[in-house]
């Protein structure tokens, strides 16, 4: 689309927002119900698009993209009236006689949602639902890499909502930059830290508030201690690394495993991969594929660089863009492969002495904050201490990924893994601005705040101020 066309879309949405049509809670609920019904109706079309873009099976498409959207919208439908209710506060004696203050949850206005390729349905519609719950209009810039999903979403939104309320713009980075040059009231971006910096810089030109959900510069760590249930850990890690072929912002980037149990853990992990996907994952139609040829080539080149240390996998089929889950062992904690986000099926294993686990955690803490952290251990006291003191987006103890499926809790990052939060009420908060309004009284107003401040009147006022402002 041209700059003029995009500018016209933003202007039309701003005019629509200013009519006040999006403000009533009943109206927002009606739109969310329409959105949910449309998602259910489009289920097969979305599954087909996800299969074309990412090689997703029907089960994985529903598990990871479609089902969570329905759950998310249901939570909004149940809670929106309560979330949007104005808060009532006692103003305090300093404000006498104006005793009532309210906080209203006001939508920002016209929002821009930039969604990624790896979960193109979930991370588009899920964020759009939060923006709608907040009472905003939405312009969507979806990924050009997931072309089939973008086409399905464009058709979906065009059929369900008028363009002055919700509309999708497709195109490449040039179109994204045109969008970022517009004056939006809120921007929500999901993707890489490098592009996140660009989004933030462009938003700063208009002082537009931004939410960023990023993968983390140095990737997400999984720590397996010597007292962990190794088979349980291996089974869960294998499932997660197979999911979307590792193209997940909260996926395990590397594993630190206690060297005392490294051998049996590696064997358990190999067995778990084979049990779940077979010995030749690249030939299994259930196994997802990498998004583009360049993504496949990047993964294959990195695997070749570590070819001598591959203990499982290391093969692929370029025609289908499927690369097997690949275990690389041993890897030093200072090697470059564990200092950037991989976003592919490669899994470096870093051995450490279990007695030195606190030193390991200090090294992890010195790096950029990850979006997720996973610990496997029977030492719950140590695990709780780590989770309370490390900085990361979210995580699990003796589990992987499903913290993001819990109702009522935020999904967020910090530092290089993002800013802001969403899911449920947190998404509503992200797309609304709290506005404080004091209800003044015209009766019994005292001259405490007014001049004169000198003489006996000033002394009296000073005594009263010290009583009220303790």
């Amino acid at each position: 689309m041209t700059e003029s066309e995009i500018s016209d879309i933003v202007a039309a949405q701003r005019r629509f927002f200013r009519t006040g049509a999006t403000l009533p809670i009943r109206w927002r609920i009606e739109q969310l119900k329409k959105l949910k019904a449309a998602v259910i109706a489009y289920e097969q079309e979305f599954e087909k698009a996800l299969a074309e873009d990412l090689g997703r099976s029907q089960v994985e498409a529903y598990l990871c993209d479609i089902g969570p959207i329905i759950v998310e919208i249901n939570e909004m439908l149940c809670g929106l009236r309560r979330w949007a209710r104005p808060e009532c506060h006692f103003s305090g004696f300093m404000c006498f006689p104006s005793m009532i203050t309210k906080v209203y949850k006001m939508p920002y206005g016209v929002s821009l949602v930039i969604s990624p390729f790896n979960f193109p349905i979930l991370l588009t519609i899920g964020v759009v639902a939060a923006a709608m719950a907040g009472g905003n209009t939405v312009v969507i810039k979806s990924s050009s890499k997931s072309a089939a999903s973008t086409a399905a979403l464009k058709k979906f939104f065009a059929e369900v909502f008028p363009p002055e309320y919700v509309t999708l713009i497709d195109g490449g980075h040039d179109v994204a930059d045109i969008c970022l040059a517009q004056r939006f009231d809120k921007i929500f971006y999901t993707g890489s830290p490098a592009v996140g910096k660009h989004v933030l810089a462009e938003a700063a030109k208009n002082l537009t508030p931004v939410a960023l959900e990023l993968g983390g510069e140095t990737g997400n760590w999984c720590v397996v201690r010597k007292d962990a249930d190794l088979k349980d850990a291996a089974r869960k890690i294998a499932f997660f690394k197979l999911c979307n072929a590792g193209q997940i912002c909260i996926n395990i980037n590397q594993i630190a495993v206690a060297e005392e149990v490294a051998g049996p853990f590696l064997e358990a992990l190999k067995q778990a991969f084979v049990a779940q996907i077979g010995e030749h994952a690249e030939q299994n139609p259930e196994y997802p594929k990498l998004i583009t040829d360049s993504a496949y080539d990047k993964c294959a080149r990195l695997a070749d660089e570590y070819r001598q240390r591959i203990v499982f996998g290391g093969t692929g089929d370029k025609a289908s863009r499927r690369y097997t889950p690949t275990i690389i062992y041993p890897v030093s904690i200072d090697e470059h492969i564990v200092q950037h986000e991989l976003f592919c099926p490669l899994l470096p294993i870093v051995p450490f002495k279990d007695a030195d686990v606190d030193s390991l955690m200090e090294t992890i803490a010195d790096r950029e904050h990850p979006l997720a952290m996973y610990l496997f251990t029977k030492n719950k006291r140590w695990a709780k201490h780590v989770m309370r003191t490390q900085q990361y987006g979210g995580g699990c103890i003796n589990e992987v990924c499903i913290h993001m499926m819990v109702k009522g809790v935020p999904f967020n990052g910090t530092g290089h893994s993002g800013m802001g939060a969403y899911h449920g009420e947190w998404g509503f908060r992200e797309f609304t601005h709290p506005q404080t309004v004091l209800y003044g009284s015209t009766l019994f107003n005292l001259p405490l705040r007014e001049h004169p401040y000198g003489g006996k009147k000033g002394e009296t006022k000073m005594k009263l101020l010290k009583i009220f402002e303790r």
Side-chain angles (χ1 to χ4, degrees):
M1 299 185 73
T2 66
E3 183 175 358
S4 176
E5 290 172 324
I6 293 172
S7 181
D8 287 345
I9 289 170
V10 176
Q13 290 209 357
R14 195 171 302 284
R15 288 193 298 270
F16 179 68
F17 176 76
R18 286 176 177 166
T19 66
T22 68
L23 298 183
I25 304 305
R26 179 180 295 179
W27 188 85
R28 298 186 213 177
I29 289 174
E30 290 174 358
Q31 307 315 305
L32 288 170
K33 287 180 178 178
K34 285 172 62 176
L35 183 66
K36 176 185 171 182
V39 169
I40 294 171
Y42 261 73
E43 180 182 328
Q44 291 184 346
E45 192 159 344
F46 285 153
E47 288 171 353
K48 181 180 177 182
L50 289 166
E52 185 174 339
D53 287 331
L54 292 155
R56 296 265 193 88
S57 67
Q58 182 183 19
V59 172
E60 188 167 325
Y62 194 88
L63 172 68
C64 296
D65 265 87
I66 300 166
I69 294 172
I70 296 171
V71 172
E72 180 86 353
I73 296 174
N74 284 340
E75 185 178 354
M76 293 176 183
L77 291 172
C78 290
L80 184 54
R81 292 187 186 278
R82 183 177 70 259
W83 305 339
R85 191 177 300 135
E87 298 175 12
C88 190
H89 295 261
F90 170 58
S91 303
F93 291 113
M94 277 297 298
C95 299
F96 181 85
S98 305
M99 296 285 92
I100 301 298
T101 295
K102 291 192 176 184
V103 179
Y104 295 97
K105 287 68 174 287
M106 185 67 182
Y108 279 104
V110 183
S111 60
L112 172 65
V113 172
I114 305 177
S115 58
F117 71 82
N118 58 329
F119 290 91
I121 308 300
L122 172 65
L123 298 182
T124 299
I125 299 178
V127 180
V128 169
M132 291 170 57
N136 303 271
T137 66
V138 193
V139 174
I140 306 153
K141 168 59 185 75
S142 57
S143 176
S144 57
K145 292 181 180 179
S146 48
S149 296
T150 290
L153 285 166
K154 189 170 186 178
K155 179 184 174 186
F156 170 84
F157 284 114
E159 289 184 1
V160 180
F161 301 112
E164 64 269 21
Y165 180 40
V166 180
T167 192
L168 185 145
I169 296 171
D170 56 4
H173 295 305
D174 55 335
V175 174
D177 282 340
I178 293 173
C179 290
L180 288 169
Q182 308 300 311
R183 186 174 69 82
F184 284 94
D185 302 304
K186 178 74 177 185
I187 296 174
F188 195 110
Y189 168 77
T190 305
S192 70
V195 179
K197 293 176 185 178
H198 175 67
V199 171
L200 200 58
E202 291 300 303
K205 295 176 181 178
N206 289 310
L207 294 179
T208 303
V210 177
L212 301 175
E213 290 297 340
L214 312 175
E217 193 78 22
T218 50
N220 307 312
W221 281 88
C222 174
V223 179
V224 180
R225 296 199 63 181
K226 69 177 184 180
D227 64 350
D229 184 325
L230 300 182
K231 288 187 177 180
D232 179 71
R235 179 181 178 183
K236 291 170 179 175
I237 291 168
F239 146 73
F240 197 21
K241 200 63 181 178
L242 290 171
C243 187
N244 211 33
Q247 300 168 110
I248 305 176
C249 57
I250 60 169
N251 212 324
I252 296 166
N253 204 67
Q254 56 268 321
I255 302 173
V257 60
E259 61 183 30
E260 294 91 335
V261 295
F265 172 74
L266 288 172
E267 287 305 311
L269 186 57
K270 294 174 189 177
Q271 291 173 17
F273 277 131
V274 171
Q276 294 182 37
I277 204 68
E279 292 186 8
H280 302 285
E282 73 275 23
Q283 299 173 16
N284 191 328
E286 287 187 5
Y287 182 51
K289 60 186 178 182
L290 294 167
I291 186 66
T292 60
D293 288 340
S294 62
Y296 179 92
D297 292 341
K298 182 179 178 181
C299 174
R301 281 197 305 270
L302 192 55
D304 286 340
E305 184 179 341
Y306 285 84
R307 179 65 55 186
Q308 299 305 313
R309 284 183 272 173
I310 290 176
V311 296
F312 180 84
T315 60
D317 176 38
K318 187 168 183 178
S320 65
R321 299 203 303 272
R322 289 187 173 94
Y323 202 91
T324 57
T326 299
I327 303 172
I328 303 171
Y329 176 84
V331 176
S332 166
I333 197 167
D334 294 321
E335 293 188 54
H336 73 90
I337 194 172
V338 296
Q339 298 205 48
H340 68 275
E341 187 182 23
L342 298 175
F343 226 64
C344 69
L346 303 186
L347 191 54
I349 310 293
V350 177
F352 70 96
K353 287 184 172 63
D354 194 73
D356 297 333
V357 67
D358 292 333
S359 176
L360 168 75
M361 300 314 299
E362 286 180 12
T363 302
I364 293 172
D366 283 340
R367 297 181 179 178
E368 301 299 348
H369 305 325
L371 183 57
M373 181 172 289
Y374 306 103
L375 308 178
F376 285 89
T377 178
K378 291 185 175 70
N379 189 338
K380 295 293 182 66
R381 183 177 181 181
W382 173 84
K384 289 178 181 178
H385 172 75
V386 169
M387 288 305 201
R388 286 197 304 264
T389 56
Q390 293 278 115
Q391 291 178 292
Y392 55 95
C396 302
I397 300 172
N398 294 322
E399 193 43 278
V400 293
C401 79
I402 58 175
H403 62 287
M404 65 173 294
M405 300 174 70
V406 179
K407 289 185 178 181
V409 300
F411 177 64
N412 58 354
T414 178
H416 277 239
S417 58
M419 59 183 70
Y422 75 119
H423 285 188
E425 184 176 2
W426 296 87
F428 171 82
R429 294 181 190 178
E430 190 62 54
F431 279 96
T432 54
H433 169 65
Q435 295 182 177
T436 300
V437 178
L438 180 142
Y439 285 77
S441 172
T442 58
L443 302 174
F444 308 112
N445 281 286
L446 301 177
L448 180 62
R449 62 187 172 185
E450 300 166 3
H451 285 278
Y453 293 155
K456 289 186 177 181
K457 289 186 177 180
E459 291 176 6
T460 302
K461 290 177 181 180
M462 195 66 180
K463 290 178 182 178
L464 290 172
L465 285 172
K466 288 192 174 182
I467 292 172
F468 291 145
E469 293 190 336
R470 285 186 174 180

